[in-house]
Amino acid sequence: MSKHAKSERANAPESSKRMKRRAYEAKLRELHGELVKVQEWAKEQGAKICIVFEGRDGAGKGGVIKSITERVSPRVFRVMALPPPTEREKSQMILQRYVTHLPAAGEIVIFDRSWYNRAGVERVMGLCTDEQASRFLATVPGVEQAIIDSGVILLKYWLEVSPEEQTRRIEQPIEDPRKIWKLSPMDLESYSRWYDYSRARDAMFAATDSDVAPWYVAYSDDKRRTRLAIISHILSQIPYKEIERKKVTLPKRQNADGYVEPPYARHLVPGLSASATA
């Protein structure tokens, strides 16, 4: 690792070894139960929660988001990963296409990359001018204040990964047909610009890390610890309470009353047998 990379990692917490799967899954199960409580509380209270995930390529944003949402309702926890802007959207204010996706009452919206594309990939890859990026950074704190003033709980996370771990993770999809879709020509070009992204990140933090909308940084070389830590932190930032629910009991299923399954032809999926019906 270069001297610059070493200094950049100086504040990263050290971990003697990576978390084992069994311990991870046990803790994740517990946290999933708490996320369900958040979901039911948000629905009852009409809470509005917006969670922004940014970070370096390969830092694990997708895995964190999946770990948050895999046991909750997609009608409450909505994940927004917007496609590249259309020609019309390119002419709009950068925040305009995102504002429409902010949460309404009873919703938790997770942005898998967000309006901060302007401060990151667009700036580094020359998709906007430095003047446009600077103007965005000057504007966004006021917009985020307005979002918070409207009653939204806004949480912003930046995932940071070491150069070595980023390389290992980005190399994986090259030979894996399940993951090759993750690598685009822009991803490969972005990979070579580590320090350009460092400078863009630093400028973004300097302009938008405020008391009302701080950036929370997660060092993500250990994916499992990172997922648990971020979920735990999210839970600590939301003033939820467990909503009392009536005990669920299954009603008695109706009698067949002479119904017989008809022998009509069906287009069955090969390899599966029909289950018995009542």
Side-chain angles (χ1 to χ4, degrees):
M1 187 187 299
S2 70
K3 291 182 179 179
H4 293 295
K6 285 181 179 179
S7 64
E8 194 165 89
R9 297 287 294 169
N11 294 323
E14 296 295 330
S15 178
S16 59
K17 59 182 179 179
R18 302 203 175 191
M19 192 173 199
K20 299 297 185 182
R21 178 176 294 276
R22 181 174 295 181
Y24 166 73
E25 291 180 346
K27 182 61 177 178
L28 185 61
R29 180 183 178 89
E30 175 188 329
L31 294 176
H32 280 159
E34 295 302 310
L35 287 170
V36 171
K37 293 177 185 178
V38 170
Q39 171 181 282
E40 298 307 299
W41 171 82
K43 287 162 56 179
E44 180 171 285
Q45 298 296 316
K48 298 179 290 185
I49 302 166
C50 178
I51 307 173
V52 170
F53 282 103
E54 296 286 347
R56 294 188 186 272
D57 290 339
K61 294 180 295 297
V64 171
I65 292 170
K66 183 178 179 181
S67 69
I68 293 170
T69 59
E70 63 183 337
R71 297 294 180 179
V72 291
S73 170
R75 295 179 180 85
V76 178
F77 280 78
R78 296 193 295 110
V79 178
M80 302 307 304
L82 299 188
T86 64
E87 288 303 314
R88 179 177 182 275
E89 288 171 334
K90 288 178 182 178
S91 69
Q92 296 175 338
M93 176 183 174
I94 182 65
L95 282 150
Q96 192 170 340
R97 67 192 297 249
Y98 293 96
V99 168
T100 186
H101 298 291
L102 290 172
E107 293 181 345
I108 300 161
V109 174
I110 298 173
F111 281 98
D112 184 353
R113 296 207 180 275
S114 66
W115 47 91
Y116 283 102
N117 274 341
R118 173 56 51 90
V121 63
E122 290 188 13
R123 185 173 206 170
V124 171
M125 302 303 293
L127 301 177
C128 72
T129 65
D130 282 341
E131 181 184 355
Q132 288 173 319
S134 297
R135 189 161 59 245
F136 164 79
L137 290 174
T139 301
V140 73
V143 175
E144 290 181 348
Q145 181 68 66
I147 291 171
I148 293 166
D149 289 345
S150 75
V152 174
I153 297 173
L154 177 61
L155 301 173
K156 303 187 303 189
Y157 292 93
W158 174 272
L159 273 66
E160 186 65 46
V161 66
S162 67
E164 296 84 2
E165 182 65 12
Q166 185 192 54
T167 298
R168 189 185 72 81
R169 292 179 186 178
I170 290 179
E171 284 178 341
Q172 285 180 339
I174 295 175
E175 302 298 333
D176 191 335
R178 301 168 301 171
K179 299 178 179 180
I180 192 62
W181 60 270
K182 293 185 176 183
L183 284 180
S184 69
M186 183 171 290
D187 293 329
L188 295 175
E189 186 175 352
S190 293
Y191 169 78
S192 68
R193 302 192 178 191
W194 176 273
Y195 292 106
D196 287 343
Y197 273 100
S198 295
R199 295 182 182 95
R201 177 205 60 196
D202 296 347
M204 183 186 75
F205 284 172
T208 65
D209 183 24
S210 64
D211 290 339
V212 295
W215 279 103
Y216 297 105
V217 177
Y219 291 95
S220 64
D221 279 19
D222 186 332
K223 289 183 177 180
R224 292 170 183 163
R225 291 185 194 277
T226 300
R227 294 168 187 172
L228 298 180
I230 290 177
I231 295 175
S232 296
H233 188 267
I234 289 171
L235 293 171
S236 74
Q237 299 299 302
I238 300 172
Y240 72 99
K241 296 180 181 179
E242 185 172 2
I243 302 301
E244 187 174 346
R245 303 184 66 182
K246 293 181 180 179
K247 185 177 180 181
V248 176
T249 56
L250 288 176
K252 184 179 179 181
R253 185 171 285 162
Q254 67 182 142
N255 294 324
D257 288 336
Y259 176 81
V260 177
E261 189 78 14
Y264 56 81
R266 295 179 177 177
H267 301 285
L268 300 178
V269 176
L272 300 174
S273 60
S275 60
T277 57

